[in-house]
Amino acid sequence: MKKLITLATVCVMFLSACSEKGYKIEGTVSNADLNGKYVYLYAYGNAAASPMDSALVENSKFILKGLQETPQLSTLRFANDAIEAKRVGAGENAPYSVVFVLENAPLKAELSEVPVLTGTPENDAFAGLQKELKAFRADSEQLIADMRSEDAEKVAQAEKRYQEMDEAATAAVKQYIADHPDRQTAAKLLYDFRHSLDENERRDIIARAGETFKATPGIDKIIDHLNVLEKVAVGKKFTDFEMADPDGKMHKLSDFVGNGKVVLIDFWASWCPPCRADMPHLVELYAEYKKKNFEIVGISLDRTADAWKKGIQDLNMTWPQLSDVKFWQCEGAALYGVNSIPHTVLVDKDGTIIAKNLRGEALDAKLAEILK
């Protein structure tokens, strides 16, 4: 009988040890209105996927347990109708929702207006970076309000401070990615900040990244985009396409490019404030250089022909204009890997791309150099 009791005890201890090898998420919820609601665990990057698990919030607490074969980027959140969605800065967690790496370890989740999850080296480091990003952006709402002011000096100061804030956040993210080239959280940050990093920076990060990093959702899109950009890199010949002008007449880009003129291909839209802000400067440059074998070709990402035509008129754009009015599905923009505007491509007289994304003083200097 004693042997049977001993064997049973060993079995219980073995099962207990096995269960401890899994993950255990102990969570707290700061909003009492969420008691009686379920919090759901999802694999990150697939909005249509069913939840992997769920837990009922009782007395502002919940527990999730399970076994995870390999560490997986995941999301812990409530249903969409349980909490109001709010916009947050790149890399930060939305209120009462947290992105983390699910791995077999004891994890602590605090779901609040500024949620956090800790318990493993990667999750702790990611939480630390998110706290840093939040601190950088502490006065962002006031800066945005100041940028809407009618006081030109206040607007200028707010814009300068906002740019400094954005540069500080981007620098912190770049350092995190450089320090952790095989972390899934670093890969997520690359995707979140992809518009803040130039082509060469993104290419360098991918070149140094491990397979775990590259397998993270969203990174395949960045790699595909870099492959497109490689086809229209500086030193390559321009890629041709065909679109309509405002009168509906079809033109190839080669009708204007590669025919003995230096051409600035300008991707823009009437709904884009930075594009509109750039136009007075482009109008001046066009007046200065159009008789010196210089041309501009506008490629609009507008959604309607009426808005496009009104933008051309209002901004006094007298150079050739083409568009398929397909918004971000613009076929010409896709061929050049355009995912933000304004975006410019400067092409030499023989059709060779000589520079990209030149604006302001940088564009002035380049044109002065090649159109002497």
Side-chain angles (χ1 to χ4, degrees):
M1 184 65 178
K2 187 177 291 186
K3 287 184 179 181
L4 290 175
I5 294 174
T6 303
L7 181 60
T9 302
V10 169
C11 288
V12 169
M13 292 175 63
F14 176 76
L15 290 173
S16 176
C18 287
S19 66
E20 290 174 1
K21 291 181 180 179
Y23 64 83
K24 180 180 181 182
I25 305 173
E26 294 185 85
T28 60
V29 181
S30 65
N31 186 344
D33 291 340
L34 292 171
N35 281 314
K37 304 288 187 181
Y38 279 88
V39 62
Y40 297 94
L41 177 65
Y42 290 90
Y44 174 81
N46 187 351
S50 299
M52 298 186 293
D53 201 355
S54 63
L56 182 67
V57 178
E58 296 180 289
N59 297 319
S60 298
K61 296 180 180 180
F62 65 90
I63 293 177
L64 285 162
K65 293 181 180 180
L67 187 66
Q68 182 63 29
E69 290 185 9
T70 58
Q72 179 182 20
L73 201 61
S74 306
T75 304
L76 198 60
R77 65 176 177 84
F78 290 90
N80 293 333
D81 60 355
I83 194 76
E84 180 183 358
K86 292 184 180 179
R87 187 174 181 178
V88 295
E92 295 181 38
N93 287 315
Y96 300 95
S97 173
V98 65
V99 176
F100 67 104
V101 176
L102 180 65
E103 47 190 314
N104 294 323
L107 303 171
K108 298 286 186 181
E110 299 174 16
L111 298 187
S112 63
E113 287 290 329
V114 186
V116 63
L117 186 144
T118 56
T120 63
E122 179 164 6
N123 285 310
D124 292 352
F126 190 41
L129 176 69
Q130 289 173 320
K131 183 178 180 180
E132 193 175 355
L133 294 177
K134 198 74 177 177
F136 285 138
R137 296 166 174 155
D139 57 350
S140 60
E141 290 187 8
Q142 183 59 53
L143 291 174
I144 291 171
D146 289 348
M147 285 189 284
R148 298 192 183 108
S149 170
E150 295 182 2
D151 184 333
E153 184 177 350
K154 178 181 282 190
V155 170
Q157 291 176 348
E159 288 177 342
K160 181 176 183 294
R161 175 69 189 97
Y162 196 91
Q163 182 176 349
E164 291 171 348
M165 175 188 72
D166 187 61
E167 289 173 352
T170 301
V173 166
K174 286 165 64 174
Q175 188 61 55
Y176 184 93
I177 295 172
D179 291 343
H180 309 295
D182 202 30
R183 283 190 173 176
Q184 296 177 70
T185 50
K188 178 189 180 297
L189 287 167
L190 172 58
Y191 186 80
D192 289 348
F193 280 78
R194 63 194 183 282
H195 299 312
S196 299
L197 304 174
D198 66 33
E199 177 182 341
N200 290 331
E201 288 174 322
R202 282 174 277 151
R203 201 177 296 281
D204 181 60
I205 289 169
I206 294 297
R208 294 185 293 106
E211 292 307 311
T212 299
F213 186 110
K214 293 178 182 177
T216 302
I219 301 303
D220 57 338
K221 295 181 176 64
I222 291 178
I223 293 173
D224 289 345
H225 183 238
L226 288 172
N227 290 337
V228 170
L229 292 176
E230 180 63 29
K231 297 176 184 177
V232 289
V234 172
K236 299 287 183 69
K237 292 291 184 179
F238 78 98
T239 296
D240 205 5
F241 58 84
E242 188 175 36
M243 283 185 180
D245 66 17
D247 295 324
K249 182 179 178 181
M250 299 301 292
H251 297 272
K252 288 186 176 181
L253 187 60
S254 54
D255 292 343
F256 310 100
V257 180
N259 296 319
K261 288 187 177 183
V262 172
V263 179
L264 183 73
I265 307 171
D266 178 40
F267 293 89
W268 73 287
S270 66
W271 48 261
C272 165
C275 302
R276 298 182 73 97
D278 277 356
M279 288 309 165
H281 183 228
L282 289 186
V283 168
E284 291 177 2
L285 287 178
Y286 194 57
E288 181 179 355
Y289 289 112
K290 67 180 179 180
K291 293 182 180 179
K292 298 181 181 180
N293 288 322
F294 175 65
E295 185 63 274
I296 302 176
V297 179
I299 309 298
S300 170
L301 277 68
D302 269 287
R303 287 174 275 200
T304 68
D306 287 344
W308 173 37
K309 293 175 184 178
K310 187 175 187 303
I312 294 171
Q313 182 178 1
D314 291 348
L315 297 167
N316 194 29
M317 301 161 71
T318 58
W319 49 86
Q321 293 284 341
L322 304 175
S323 182
D324 55 11
V325 288
K326 291 183 178 179
F327 195 38
W328 285 111
Q329 283 68 50
C330 172
E331 294 176 10
L335 289 171
Y336 281 80
V338 177
N339 59 10
S340 64
I341 52 175
H343 180 95
T344 61
V345 179
L346 189 63
V347 186
D348 210 347
K349 297 175 182 180
D350 65 352
T352 301
I353 296 171
I354 54 178
K356 295 165 72 173
N357 274 326
L358 294 181
R359 299 169 62 192
E361 293 179 359
L363 179 57
D364 292 349
K366 191 65 176 179
L367 292 180
E369 173 192 336
I370 62 179
L371 294 171
K372 296 177 182 178

